[in-house]
Amino acid sequence: MFHALIFIFLILPFASNGASVEVLFEPKDLPPFRSDTLTVIAVSLRSNESWTGSLNAWCLDDDICTVDDGAYDLDLNAQNGYTSAFNLSIYGKFLGHTTLHLQIDNDSKELHLTKEEYKLTILRSLQGEMLDRIFTVVVTIVVIFNTFLMGTQLDLNTIIKVLKRPIGPVIAFFCQYVLMPTLGFILSWFLLPEKDYAMRLALFVVSCSPGGGKSNFWTILFDGNIDLCITMTFLSTVSALGMMPLWLSTLGTVFSPNRIPIPFFEIVRGLIALLIPSVAGMLFIRFRPGWEKKIHKIIKVTSFVFLVVFSVFGLFANFFIFQLITWRTVLASATLPWFGYILAFSVAYLLRQGWKDSITIAIETGIHNIGIAIIILRFSLPEPDRDLAMVMPISVVFLTGKPLLVTWIVRSIYHKYFKTKDGEETMIEPGKEVQISDRKTVYATTDLSTNVTM
């Protein structure tokens, strides 16, 4: 089970009736092991004279692991060379990081021995790891395919038209890549515990992610500027190539000093890989305009399929996250998108963008492309940090659209029962085709989180 025997001398001397005792462990660094398994650590004690007492061993976080029969009687004397050796059996209960603690008692006083650098890392069970791999592959395929579909909804002429008056996109860029990362950093720093560094980093990654998600859907329902929305989705995705690595290499390092290495080149490469399907979708529909109606039907079907795959299978594969959700994670996950709506709308409205553009910028800013954040986290972080990090993006996914849904219901009731005069605006229902330009009619759906934020 072990490599070549390696003893580490812990500088943990203590005085008890003049005795000096050292504790030794093997192996020096315990490799990570999976939950629902048992691992053994060899412990040796050395003294310079006779010493008697007892030793107790336990995991600092007993929700992560336990020490089976961690109590031992000690009798170090001349006959045994003032040494004692025994094995500690540690059972992994749940994924995470913790520390092995020792406590030695004798007749005169109680002494605590703590080797904080002797860390214990427990990974997901073999079954959970298999589900995780399947989920990662499925999510990657879904995001790539959905990004391609998003590309078919992008009209280059519409984008150029919007960019001729770039005030809206500039404000959206400021909200998306200045306000949101700043808000994400503040929430991660003040709301999430320091020990949960993987979750802190994950929330910050979500806040730095490009817009998209179900933004087209909600923009149409709230009578926003759909041309501006589509343009902002495309520009924020392209801008992510520079802005995400920039934020993660600056403020992101605060949450991962010497703990989680942030592979910036892999992140850029991943973003480029996700941008390619979007461009491919644009080129495909440009040279095959007759496929528009077929793609619209495909989007309607895939919207439901993606919802089932991500919501049901995603929760099944990551069911452990419910054990990690606290009021802090819920508050942080809700505050990020909800305050994003408020801040972005306020900035846009104060800059005289009008209702349509202001609500569009607010929706685009508050709804992130969670699929990109998940892929980056899953392919960038080691176990078990990548699993622990999933708590934040999945929580954000299920909380992002709630205020929009409530607002839309209230607004629909108001328009139905209190605004019945001729000439009033007509409410647009989910799934309805909407003409957004001379070239195309779209359904309100784009990428992965399109299907899960409601």
Side-chain angles (χ1 to χ4, degrees):
M1 178 179 293
F2 301 114
H3 299 292
L5 184 63
I6 301 176
F7 283 108
I8 177 170
F9 289 85
L10 306 182
I11 311 302
L12 296 171
F14 60 89
S16 174
N17 300 324
S20 177
V21 179
E22 290 179 322
V23 184
L24 303 89
F25 285 91
E26 188 279 322
K28 179 179 178 180
D29 296 306
L30 182 67
F33 62 99
R34 299 201 174 276
S35 58
D36 297 331
T37 61
L38 197 68
T39 191
V40 179
I41 299 175
V43 181
S44 298
L45 302 179
R46 292 181 180 179
S47 178
N48 60 352
E49 59 182 80
S50 298
W51 189 90
T52 59
S54 62
L55 179 142
N56 291 286
W58 71 94
C59 296
L60 182 61
D61 189 341
D62 58 8
D63 289 329
I64 294 179
C65 66
T66 56
V67 179
D68 291 350
D69 191 19
Y72 296 87
D73 293 326
L74 303 176
D75 185 9
L76 282 64
N77 52 56
Q79 293 182 348
N80 56 30
Y82 308 111
T83 63
S84 179
F86 50 88
N87 292 331
L88 291 178
S89 297
I90 301 177
Y91 179 74
K93 296 172 61 180
F94 191 70
L95 75 163
H97 304 280
T98 188
T99 306
L100 178 66
H101 276 225
L102 301 178
Q103 174 181 303
I104 295 180
D105 304 320
N106 64 10
D107 295 336
S108 60
K109 63 179 180 178
E110 179 181 294
L111 297 156
H112 294 270
L113 301 180
T114 302
K115 180 182 180 297
E116 294 183 356
E117 65 272 20
Y118 196 84
K119 298 178 180 178
L120 302 175
T121 299
I122 291 83
L123 312 178
R124 296 183 68 178
S125 64
L126 288 175
Q127 180 182 4
E129 171 62 13
M130 184 178 298
L131 286 173
D132 173 72
R133 292 183 179 182
I134 297 173
F135 177 69
T136 301
V137 172
V138 170
V139 168
T140 303
I141 295 173
V142 165
V143 170
I144 291 175
F145 184 61
N146 229 3
T147 303
F148 173 82
L149 294 180
M150 180 188 71
T152 65
Q153 303 299 297
L154 298 176
D155 186 353
L156 186 59
N157 294 328
T158 300
I159 294 174
I160 294 174
K161 175 183 176 182
V162 172
L163 290 179
K164 290 180 178 180
R165 298 182 68 255
I167 297 180
V170 170
I171 295 173
F173 179 88
F174 171 79
C175 294
Q176 189 76 62
Y177 287 116
V178 178
L179 288 184
M180 293 305 290
T182 303
L183 178 61
F185 179 84
I186 293 173
L187 293 174
S188 299
W189 183 267
F190 289 102
L191 278 182
L192 300 180
E194 184 178 358
K195 66 182 182 66
D196 296 333
Y197 51 86
M199 295 186 195
R200 298 174 95 187
L201 179 62
L203 183 63
F204 186 64
V205 170
V206 171
S207 71
C208 299
S209 299
K214 217 168 187 175
S215 57
N216 283 11
F217 176 83
W218 289 112
T219 298
I220 292 174
L221 290 187
F222 283 93
D223 305 312
N225 186 339
I226 190 62
D227 287 348
L228 177 61
C229 178
I230 291 176
T231 301
M232 290 191 303
T233 298
F234 176 74
L235 293 179
S236 66
T237 302
V238 174
S239 300
L241 292 172
M243 297 308 297
M244 288 192 75
L246 174 64
W247 279 111
L248 293 177
S249 63
T250 51
L251 291 184
T253 58
V254 174
F255 303 125
S256 59
N258 303 319
R259 288 174 172 174
I260 304 176
I262 301 177
F264 302 108
F265 291 107
E266 283 76 6
I267 291 174
V268 173
R269 185 170 58 184
L271 289 171
I272 292 175
L274 290 173
L275 186 62
I276 291 174
S278 180
V279 175
M282 291 180 63
L283 295 176
F284 177 83
I285 205 65
R286 187 175 184 85
F287 292 101
R288 293 288 188 273
W291 277 71
E292 285 188 33
K293 291 185 178 181
K294 295 181 181 180
I295 291 178
H296 290 162
K297 294 180 181 179
I298 294 174
I299 290 176
K300 291 180 68 176
V301 175
T302 56
S303 294
F304 177 75
V305 173
F306 294 166
L307 173 63
V308 173
V309 169
F310 192 86
S311 299
V312 179
F313 182 57
L315 286 177
F316 178 73
N318 298 281
F319 195 75
F320 66 90
I321 70 171
F322 290 104
Q323 295 178 250
L324 299 171
I325 292 177
T326 65
W327 69 268
R328 291 179 179 273
T329 58
V330 172
L331 182 59
S333 300
T335 303
L336 180 66
W338 296 3
F339 267 52
Y341 298 140
I342 297 172
L343 291 174
F345 181 85
S346 300
V347 170
Y349 201 74
L350 287 174
L351 294 176
R352 300 182 179 181
Q353 291 305 292
W355 167 264
K356 278 182 170 289
D357 286 4
S358 296
I359 197 66
T360 303
I361 292 172
I363 292 173
E364 184 71 20
T365 300
I367 299 178
H368 291 89
N369 191 328
I370 302 296
I372 290 179
I374 289 177
I375 288 179
I376 288 176
L377 291 169
R378 299 205 73 81
F379 283 100
S380 301
L381 302 183
E383 287 189 273
D385 296 314
R386 72 186 185 197
D387 298 309
L388 297 171
M390 286 299 100
V391 175
M392 301 315 300
I394 292 179
S395 297
V396 171
V397 158
F398 285 98
L399 291 170
T400 294
K402 296 305 180 288
L404 297 179
L405 177 61
V406 172
T407 303
W408 179 79
I409 292 174
V410 173
R411 186 168 178 259
S412 298
I413 294 174
Y414 174 74
H415 278 266
K416 182 175 182 179
Y417 294 102
F418 298 99
K419 297 193 73 172
T420 58
K421 295 180 180 179
D422 294 337
E424 294 292 348
E425 61 180 311
T426 302
M427 293 299 296
I428 302 171
E429 298 183 4
K432 184 177 179 180
E433 293 184 355
V434 179
Q435 188 75 28
I436 65 170
S437 68
D438 294 336
R439 188 177 70 85
K440 68 170 65 260
T441 301
V442 302
Y443 292 95
T445 182
T446 51
D447 53 41
L448 175 66
S449 51
T450 293
N451 311 296
V452 295
T453 53
M454 183 170 176

